[in-house]
Amino acid sequence: MKIAFIGAGKVGSAMAILLSLKGYKISYIMSRNVDSAEKLAQRVKSTAATDLKKVIQDTDVIFITTPDRVIKEMAKKIAETGLKASQQYVFHVCGSQSSESLMVLKENGWVTGSIHPLQAFADIDMAVNILPQTYFALDGDEKAVALAERIVESIGGKSFFVPSQYRALYHAAACIASNYTVTLMHAATQLFEKFGIKEEAAIAALMPIMKGTLANIESKGTINALTGPIVRGDSVTIEAHLAKMRQYAPKEELVYKVLGRYTQEFVQKKKFLARKIENKIDNTPK
Protein backbone atom coordinates (compact mmCIF):
# COMPACT_ATOMS: atom_id res chain seq x y z
CA MET A 1 0.00 0.00 0.00
CA LYS A 2 1.43 3.34 -1.09
CA ILE A 3 0.49 6.40 0.98
CA ALA A 4 0.93 10.04 -0.05
CA PHE A 5 0.67 13.14 2.12
CA ILE A 6 -0.53 16.51 0.87
CA GLY A 7 0.62 18.93 3.54
CA ALA A 8 3.82 18.80 5.60
CA GLY A 9 2.81 20.51 8.83
CA LYS A 10 3.17 19.05 12.33
CA VAL A 11 0.34 16.51 12.14
CA GLY A 12 1.03 15.38 8.59
CA SER A 13 4.77 15.11 9.20
CA ALA A 14 4.33 13.16 12.43
CA MET A 15 1.90 10.70 10.85
CA ALA A 16 4.11 10.21 7.79
CA ILE A 17 7.16 9.56 9.96
CA LEU A 18 5.36 7.14 12.25
CA LEU A 19 3.74 5.21 9.40
CA SER A 20 7.14 4.99 7.71
CA LEU A 21 8.65 3.61 10.92
CA LYS A 22 5.87 1.01 11.04
CA GLY A 23 6.70 -0.22 7.55
CA TYR A 24 4.23 1.67 5.37
CA LYS A 25 5.48 2.92 2.00
CA ILE A 26 5.26 6.71 1.82
CA SER A 27 5.19 7.34 -1.91
CA TYR A 28 5.00 11.14 -2.17
CA ILE A 29 5.00 14.29 -0.07
CA MET A 30 3.37 17.44 -1.45
CA SER A 31 3.27 20.86 0.16
CA ARG A 32 2.96 24.52 -0.82
CA ASN A 33 6.22 24.88 1.09
CA VAL A 34 8.60 22.94 -1.14
CA ASP A 35 11.38 23.00 1.47
CA SER A 36 9.10 21.35 4.04
CA ALA A 37 8.07 18.68 1.53
CA GLU A 38 11.68 17.90 0.62
CA LYS A 39 12.76 17.77 4.26
CA LEU A 40 9.96 15.38 5.21
CA ALA A 41 10.43 13.27 2.06
CA GLN A 42 14.09 12.79 2.91
CA ARG A 43 13.20 11.69 6.45
CA VAL A 44 10.64 9.08 5.33
CA LYS A 45 12.60 7.95 2.23
CA SER A 46 9.97 9.34 -0.10
CA THR A 47 9.76 11.79 -3.00
CA ALA A 48 8.78 15.44 -2.83
CA ALA A 49 6.23 15.90 -5.60
CA THR A 50 4.75 18.86 -7.44
CA ASP A 51 2.67 16.97 -10.01
CA LEU A 52 -0.71 16.16 -8.45
CA LYS A 53 -1.73 13.83 -11.29
CA LYS A 54 1.39 11.72 -10.82
CA VAL A 55 0.68 11.43 -7.09
CA ILE A 56 -2.88 10.26 -7.74
CA GLN A 57 -1.86 7.74 -10.38
CA ASP A 58 0.81 6.13 -8.21
CA THR A 59 -0.84 6.12 -4.77
CA ASP A 60 -3.38 3.95 -2.98
CA VAL A 61 -4.11 6.27 -0.06
CA ILE A 62 -3.90 10.07 0.13
CA PHE A 63 -3.84 11.93 3.42
CA ILE A 64 -4.83 15.59 3.11
CA THR A 65 -2.96 17.19 6.02
CA THR A 66 -3.22 20.80 4.92
CA PRO A 67 -4.61 23.57 7.16
CA ASP A 68 -8.32 22.97 7.81
CA ARG A 69 -9.47 25.87 5.65
CA VAL A 70 -7.75 24.36 2.58
CA ILE A 71 -9.22 20.83 2.76
CA LYS A 72 -12.21 21.45 0.47
CA GLU A 73 -10.03 23.40 -1.93
CA MET A 74 -7.56 20.52 -2.14
CA ALA A 75 -10.34 17.96 -2.60
CA LYS A 76 -11.65 20.07 -5.48
CA LYS A 77 -8.19 20.22 -7.06
CA ILE A 78 -7.89 16.43 -6.91
CA ALA A 79 -11.32 16.08 -8.52
CA GLU A 80 -10.45 18.63 -11.22
CA THR A 81 -7.56 16.49 -12.46
CA GLY A 82 -10.27 14.39 -14.11
CA LEU A 83 -8.71 11.16 -12.85
CA LYS A 84 -11.28 8.64 -11.65
CA ALA A 85 -10.42 6.71 -8.51
CA SER A 86 -10.05 2.96 -8.69
CA GLN A 87 -10.72 1.88 -5.10
CA GLN A 88 -8.37 4.58 -3.87
CA TYR A 89 -8.73 6.14 -0.44
CA VAL A 90 -8.50 9.74 0.67
CA PHE A 91 -8.56 10.92 4.28
CA HIS A 92 -8.28 14.28 5.97
CA VAL A 93 -7.07 14.78 9.54
CA CYS A 94 -9.19 17.78 10.56
CA GLY A 95 -11.01 17.58 13.88
CA SER A 96 -13.81 20.05 13.21
CA GLN A 97 -14.85 18.74 9.76
CA SER A 98 -16.35 15.37 8.91
CA SER A 99 -15.60 13.31 5.82
CA GLU A 100 -18.41 15.22 4.09
CA SER A 101 -15.73 17.82 3.28
CA LEU A 102 -14.52 15.29 0.71
CA MET A 103 -17.91 14.82 -0.96
CA VAL A 104 -16.61 16.04 -4.33
CA LEU A 105 -14.16 13.11 -4.29
CA LYS A 106 -16.70 10.58 -3.08
CA GLU A 107 -18.84 11.50 -6.08
CA ASN A 108 -15.83 10.66 -8.28
CA GLY A 109 -15.37 7.16 -6.91
CA TRP A 110 -12.97 7.78 -4.03
CA VAL A 111 -13.40 5.97 -0.71
CA THR A 112 -13.44 8.89 1.72
CA GLY A 113 -12.93 9.27 5.45
CA SER A 114 -11.44 11.36 8.21
CA ILE A 115 -8.96 10.32 10.86
CA HIS A 116 -8.26 12.87 13.58
CA PRO A 117 -5.71 12.35 16.38
CA LEU A 118 -7.22 13.60 19.64
CA GLN A 119 -4.00 15.19 20.77
CA ALA A 120 -2.18 18.53 21.02
CA PHE A 121 1.17 18.65 19.23
CA ALA A 122 3.86 21.10 20.31
CA ASP A 123 6.35 19.85 17.71
CA ILE A 124 6.85 17.03 15.21
CA ASP A 125 9.14 14.77 17.27
CA MET A 126 6.90 15.02 20.32
CA ALA A 127 3.95 14.11 18.10
CA VAL A 128 5.76 11.03 16.80
CA ASN A 129 6.33 9.89 20.40
CA ILE A 130 2.78 10.41 21.66
CA LEU A 131 0.72 9.33 18.64
CA PRO A 132 0.99 5.63 19.62
CA GLN A 133 -0.82 6.43 22.90
CA THR A 134 -3.43 8.61 21.21
CA TYR A 135 -7.11 8.07 20.47
CA PHE A 136 -8.26 8.84 16.91
CA ALA A 137 -11.74 9.99 15.89
CA LEU A 138 -12.90 8.35 12.67
CA ASP A 139 -15.76 8.78 10.23
CA GLY A 140 -16.50 8.14 6.58
CA ASP A 141 -17.33 5.28 4.25
CA GLU A 142 -17.43 1.81 5.78
CA LYS A 143 -14.31 0.77 3.87
CA ALA A 144 -12.49 3.96 4.85
CA VAL A 145 -13.30 3.51 8.54
CA ALA A 146 -12.16 -0.13 8.40
CA LEU A 147 -8.82 0.88 6.85
CA ALA A 148 -8.41 3.75 9.31
CA GLU A 149 -8.97 1.34 12.22
CA ARG A 150 -6.22 -0.93 10.90
CA ILE A 151 -3.82 1.96 10.41
CA VAL A 152 -4.46 3.30 13.92
CA GLU A 153 -4.05 -0.14 15.46
CA SER A 154 -0.81 -0.73 13.56
CA ILE A 155 0.79 2.40 15.07
CA GLY A 156 -0.39 1.53 18.58
CA GLY A 157 -3.30 3.96 18.86
CA LYS A 158 -6.98 3.45 19.62
CA SER A 159 -9.97 4.69 17.66
CA PHE A 160 -13.64 5.53 18.00
CA PHE A 161 -16.35 6.52 15.53
CA VAL A 162 -17.96 9.98 15.49
CA PRO A 163 -21.08 10.35 13.30
CA SER A 164 -20.70 13.33 10.98
CA GLN A 165 -23.60 15.27 12.53
CA TYR A 166 -21.80 15.27 15.91
CA ARG A 167 -18.37 16.23 14.61
CA ALA A 168 -18.59 19.82 15.88
CA LEU A 169 -19.56 18.57 19.36
CA TYR A 170 -16.59 16.21 19.37
CA HIS A 171 -14.27 19.05 18.41
CA ALA A 172 -15.80 21.35 21.01
CA ALA A 173 -15.07 18.70 23.65
CA ALA A 174 -11.46 18.55 22.48
CA CYS A 175 -11.19 22.35 22.70
CA ILE A 176 -12.57 22.37 26.24
CA ALA A 177 -10.23 19.60 27.39
CA SER A 178 -7.12 20.99 25.72
CA ASN A 179 -7.36 24.68 24.79
CA TYR A 180 -9.38 25.80 27.77
CA THR A 181 -7.15 23.94 30.21
CA VAL A 182 -4.46 26.36 29.05
CA THR A 183 -6.91 29.24 29.48
CA LEU A 184 -7.71 28.15 33.05
CA MET A 185 -4.03 27.95 33.94
CA HIS A 186 -3.56 31.42 32.49
CA ALA A 187 -6.41 32.76 34.65
CA ALA A 188 -4.87 31.16 37.75
CA THR A 189 -1.43 32.63 36.99
CA GLN A 190 -3.01 36.06 36.57
CA LEU A 191 -4.26 35.85 40.15
CA PHE A 192 -0.77 34.87 41.33
CA GLU A 193 0.66 37.91 39.58
CA LYS A 194 -1.59 40.15 41.69
CA PHE A 195 0.53 39.24 44.72
CA GLY A 196 3.87 39.39 42.94
CA ILE A 197 4.49 35.87 41.61
CA LYS A 198 5.31 35.87 37.88
CA GLU A 199 3.92 33.36 35.40
CA GLU A 200 6.88 30.95 35.28
CA ALA A 201 6.95 30.56 39.06
CA ALA A 202 3.15 30.43 39.24
CA ILE A 203 3.03 27.59 36.71
CA ALA A 204 5.66 25.67 38.69
CA ALA A 205 3.60 26.09 41.87
CA LEU A 206 0.25 25.24 40.28
CA MET A 207 1.35 22.35 38.07
CA PRO A 208 1.45 19.70 40.86
CA ILE A 209 -2.17 20.37 41.87
CA MET A 210 -3.24 20.33 38.23
CA LYS A 211 -1.46 17.02 37.63
CA GLY A 212 -2.96 15.60 40.82
CA THR A 213 -6.42 16.66 39.69
CA LEU A 214 -5.94 15.04 36.29
CA ALA A 215 -4.81 11.83 38.00
CA ASN A 216 -7.94 11.91 40.17
CA ILE A 217 -10.15 12.40 37.11
CA GLU A 218 -8.46 9.47 35.37
CA SER A 219 -8.92 7.12 38.32
CA LYS A 220 -12.22 8.33 39.80
CA GLY A 221 -14.14 10.16 37.05
CA THR A 222 -15.22 13.79 37.09
CA ILE A 223 -17.87 13.65 39.80
CA ASN A 224 -15.77 11.83 42.40
CA ALA A 225 -12.63 13.83 41.58
CA LEU A 226 -14.26 17.15 42.44
CA THR A 227 -13.15 18.84 45.65
CA GLY A 228 -13.27 22.42 46.95
CA PRO A 229 -15.63 24.94 48.53
CA ILE A 230 -18.64 24.31 46.27
CA VAL A 231 -18.67 20.59 47.13
CA ARG A 232 -18.35 21.46 50.82
CA GLY A 233 -21.07 24.11 50.59
CA ASP A 234 -18.58 26.65 51.93
CA SER A 235 -20.31 29.89 50.93
CA VAL A 236 -18.08 32.00 53.22
CA THR A 237 -14.96 31.02 51.25
CA ILE A 238 -16.68 31.55 47.91
CA GLU A 239 -17.86 35.02 48.96
CA ALA A 240 -14.30 35.89 50.01
CA HIS A 241 -12.97 34.73 46.62
CA LEU A 242 -15.50 36.83 44.75
CA ALA A 243 -14.95 39.93 46.87
CA LYS A 244 -11.18 39.94 46.33
CA MET A 245 -11.42 39.13 42.63
CA ARG A 246 -13.98 41.90 42.19
CA GLN A 247 -11.41 44.25 43.74
CA TYR A 248 -8.23 43.03 42.04
CA ALA A 249 -9.15 40.75 39.09
CA PRO A 250 -12.59 41.46 37.57
CA LYS A 251 -11.91 39.47 34.39
CA GLU A 252 -10.99 36.37 36.35
CA GLU A 253 -14.06 36.90 38.55
CA LEU A 254 -16.26 36.41 35.48
CA VAL A 255 -14.49 33.13 34.65
CA TYR A 256 -14.84 31.99 38.27
CA LYS A 257 -18.58 32.74 38.29
CA VAL A 258 -19.34 30.91 35.04
CA LEU A 259 -17.37 27.84 36.12
CA GLY A 260 -18.89 28.00 39.60
CA ARG A 261 -22.44 27.95 38.27
CA TYR A 262 -21.66 25.01 36.01
CA THR A 263 -19.92 23.21 38.88
CA GLN A 264 -22.97 23.67 41.11
CA GLU A 265 -25.09 21.72 38.63
CA PHE A 266 -23.07 18.56 38.74
CA VAL A 267 -22.34 18.87 42.47
CA GLN A 268 -26.04 18.14 42.90
CA LYS A 269 -25.48 14.86 41.05
CA LYS A 270 -22.53 14.06 43.30
CA LYS A 271 -24.63 14.70 46.41
CA PHE A 272 -27.45 12.56 44.99
CA LEU A 273 -25.05 9.65 44.45
CA ALA A 274 -23.65 10.13 47.96
CA ARG A 275 -27.17 9.95 49.42
CA LYS A 276 -27.85 6.74 47.49
CA ILE A 277 -24.70 5.19 48.96
CA GLU A 278 -25.66 6.35 52.46
CA ASN A 279 -29.14 4.87 52.04
CA LYS A 280 -27.67 1.54 50.96
CA ILE A 281 -25.39 1.53 54.01
CA ASP A 282 -28.25 2.48 56.34
CA ASN A 283 -30.52 -0.24 54.91
CA THR A 284 -27.93 -3.01 55.05
CA PRO A 285 -29.13 -5.74 57.48
CA LYS A 286 -27.05 -5.80 60.64
Side-chain angles (χ1 to χ4, degrees):
M1 181 179 292
K2 293 185 244 183
I3 301 176
F5 281 81
I6 301 177
K10 285 185 289 189
V11 177
S13 295
M15 290 189 67
I17 293 165
L18 190 57
L19 289 173
S20 176
L21 291 172
K22 295 298 181 179
Y24 287 89
K25 169 64 177 176
I26 309 301
S27 54
Y28 296 102
I29 305 292
M30 288 190 71
S31 176
R32 287 180 175 177
N33 186 325
V34 177
D35 289 340
S36 296
E38 290 178 348
K39 184 178 179 180
L40 178 58
Q42 184 176 11
R43 186 164 178 180
V44 298
K45 297 179 174 61
S46 180
T47 301
T50 55
D51 186 342
L52 184 56
K53 281 191 175 183
K54 184 176 181 181
V55 171
I56 295 170
Q57 290 170 331
D58 194 29
T59 301
D60 303 302
V61 180
I62 292 177
F63 277 92
I64 299 177
T65 54
T66 61
D68 297 355
R69 66 184 182 278
V70 185
I71 290 173
K72 287 185 179 180
E73 176 188 334
M74 181 52 62
K76 186 179 178 183
K77 284 183 178 180
I78 294 172
E80 287 175 346
T81 62
L83 299 174
K84 294 291 183 180
S86 177
Q87 291 302 304
Q88 288 167 289
Y89 294 76
V90 61
F91 295 93
H92 72 66
V93 298
C94 171
S96 61
Q97 300 178 34
S98 73
S99 60
E100 291 180 359
S101 299
L102 305 174
M103 185 60 68
V104 66
L105 292 176
K106 184 174 182 178
E107 292 170 349
N108 280 273
W110 290 82
V111 181
T112 59
S114 68
I115 173 170
H116 178 251
L118 184 54
Q119 189 57 265
F121 301 124
D123 59 58
I124 293 171
D125 290 323
M126 181 182 292
V128 171
N129 289 330
I130 62 179
L131 272 172
Q133 293 84 45
T134 295
Y135 280 78
F136 290 74
L138 314 177
D139 91 304
D141 301 335
E142 187 175 341
K143 284 185 177 180
V145 171
L147 176 60
E149 287 174 340
R150 294 199 299 273
I151 289 173
V152 170
E153 184 178 0
S154 71
I155 63 176
K158 297 181 180 179
S159 61
F160 57 94
F161 182 78
V162 180
S164 59
Q165 66 268 34
Y166 298 116
R167 190 69 174 209
L169 286 182
Y170 153 76
H171 197 247
C175 287
I176 290 171
S178 178
N179 307 153
Y180 296 163
T181 297
V182 178
T183 302
L184 290 176
M185 177 61 93
H186 178 73
T189 61
Q190 292 303 293
L191 297 183
F192 267 56
E193 285 198 3
K194 300 302 180 185
F195 49 89
I197 297 180
K198 298 301 182 182
E199 182 181 77
E200 184 177 356
I203 290 173
L206 289 164
M207 193 58 72
I209 191 172
M210 181 174 275
K211 289 180 178 178
T213 301
L214 291 174
N216 290 340
I217 292 171
E218 186 174 24
S219 63
K220 300 176 182 297
T222 56
I223 292 175
N224 291 323
L226 186 65
T227 61
I230 292 181
V231 174
R232 297 193 301 268
D234 185 354
S235 60
V236 173
T237 295
I238 293 170
E239 287 170 3
H241 291 173
L242 291 170
K244 288 300 179 182
M245 282 192 287
R246 193 172 302 119
Q247 181 179 0
Y248 295 107
K251 288 183 180 179
E252 286 69 34
E253 182 199 9
L254 293 175
V255 175
Y256 185 97
K257 281 183 174 180
V258 171
L259 293 173
R261 292 190 190 104
Y262 187 82
T263 303
Q264 277 182 309
E265 293 180 12
F266 80 90
V267 162
Q268 298 307 314
K269 186 174 182 180
K270 176 168 182 159
K271 289 180 178 177
F272 172 73
L273 293 174
R275 285 196 299 273
K276 283 184 69 175
I277 294 170
E278 288 172 3
N279 290 337
K280 282 186 179 181
I281 293 172
D282 291 342
N283 294 326
T284 300
K286 298 187 173 54

